[in-house]
Amino acid sequence: NRELGASEAHVVQSSEESSDSLNDLLGLKAISIRLPQGMIDDLKAIAEMNGLGYQPLIKQILARFVRSEQKRLANEMIQETLAQRKADKGKVA
């Protein structure tokens, strides 16, 4: 009889709740960032050429940067560990 869930307030609340739930399930968090207008224009143009929106493009760019930095830092740590082991062996001999 449409007594439950038929009001506009209920629909809005339900969609907000499902959006929050979906974000939680996907581990997503909305952020706000200020960028120069020229950079946004450039990102939009690049995104359009690649058939994307500019926000998904920014997400991809950040993901690539994070992976790259994680690899770089891991390699630095390995090199430091190897150098320390080599130095320690030199002290023992």
Side-chain angles (χ1 to χ4, degrees):
N1 65 4
R2 297 186 40 86
E3 287 181 27
L4 297 176
S7 72
E8 185 176 323
H10 181 267
V11 173
V12 171
Q13 181 182 4
S14 295
S15 68
E16 288 173 5
E17 287 175 2
S18 64
S19 177
D20 289 344
S21 297
L22 182 59
N23 285 336
D24 289 344
L25 287 172
L26 296 175
L28 300 175
K29 179 171 178 77
I31 64 166
S32 177
I33 183 170
R34 296 186 189 283
L35 299 172
Q37 185 62 52
M39 182 183 294
I40 294 170
D41 294 340
D42 291 342
L43 287 165
K44 285 181 178 181
I46 293 166
E48 186 177 334
M49 286 187 263
N50 288 285
L52 295 170
Y54 80 100
Q55 291 179 344
L57 176 67
I58 291 170
K59 189 174 172 183
Q60 286 182 7
I61 291 167
L62 290 172
R64 288 182 205 165
F65 174 78
V66 167
R67 282 192 306 270
S68 175
E69 281 299 292
Q70 287 172 331
K71 287 178 185 177
R72 184 185 66 77
L73 293 170
N75 285 332
E76 283 182 11
M77 289 175 57
I78 290 168
Q79 294 303 317
E80 289 173 10
T81 300
L82 293 174
Q84 186 61 45
R85 286 184 183 169
K86 186 175 181 180
D88 291 346
K89 283 183 182 180
K91 292 179 186 176
V92 174

